[in-house]
Structures are given as C-alpha cells and as structure tokens.
Amino acid sequence: METLEQLINGDKSVLVNFHTSWCPPCKLMAPIVDQLNREQQQYAHVVKIDIDEHKTLSQQYGIKSVPTFILFKNGEIRWRRSGVVDKATLVQQLSRTVE
C-alpha cells in the first residue's frame, strides 16, 4: 500500500479529504467523496484521512477545520478548500489537473 507522500508525488492527481467521524458536514460529504473515488479512479486518487487518527498529517498540512479538501498534482498543492463543496466543483478541480 502506498503512503500519502508516495501518492501525491506520483503521476496521478490526488484529492485528499481531511475529515472526522463526528463532524456533520464530513458525514454529508462522505457519499460524494466515495462516489468520486469510484468515478475518477482511472484518472485520480481520492483519499479520505481522519484527522483524529492521523494527527501528524493534519498538522503537516495545517488542517484547522473539517472537511478540508486538498488537491495535489506532481507533489504540489493545486487547490485547497475547507467546508462543504459540491460535487461539480470537485470534479471541475480534478479535471483541471488531469488534462
């Protein structure tokens, strides 16, 4: 299994969803993130990271609120947003890095 660092430094785009199990907006986003994972797996990795379980990663990326989405391409942050994000916006951001 690849580490997050290996994924984000790879060729595919990586959308990371930082979340917690107790956060209502995170629960709202979960089915959308799961759907994106299924739909985009050929072009991108979609990863969910629970900040309670991975405190070091949340500190490393400066996660102050959840959900927070960070889109990586070739090891660089290409887009970042906290809060509820509609699926169309997530797809649009992913498509910008896949082209």
Side-chain angles (χ1 to χ4, degrees):
M1 182 172 206
E2 291 181 281
T3 66
L4 180 62
E5 186 174 339
Q6 290 170 323
L7 283 178
I8 64 175
N9 287 305
D11 293 340
K12 282 186 176 182
S13 299
V14 180
L15 178 65
V16 181
N17 169 218
F18 290 94
H19 69 97
T20 64
S21 60
W22 48 263
C23 156
C26 298
K27 290 178 183 180
L28 178 69
M29 292 301 305
I32 295 168
V33 173
D34 292 341
Q35 187 177 27
L36 274 176
N37 185 37
R38 288 188 304 274
E39 293 173 357
Q40 302 291 323
Q41 65 185 358
Q42 182 178 355
Y43 310 104
H45 296 285
V46 179
V47 180
K48 291 160 78 171
I49 296 178
D50 187 319
I51 65 166
D52 289 334
E53 295 175 11
H54 301 280
K55 293 182 188 308
T56 302
L57 283 175
S58 64
Q59 291 172 351
Q60 179 180 346
Y61 291 104
I63 306 304
K64 304 287 185 216
S65 63
V66 287
T68 292
F69 295 90
I70 303 179
L71 179 60
F72 296 90
K73 179 68 176 190
N74 298 322
E76 297 178 5
I77 295 175
R78 299 292 182 94
W79 178 80
R80 179 182 179 129
R81 180 165 308 160
S82 295
V84 173
V85 181
D86 62 271
K87 182 182 175 188
T89 300
L90 294 171
V91 169
Q92 179 184 38
Q93 294 301 324
L94 275 168
S95 68
R96 290 181 178 173
T97 62
V98 171
E99 298 171 347

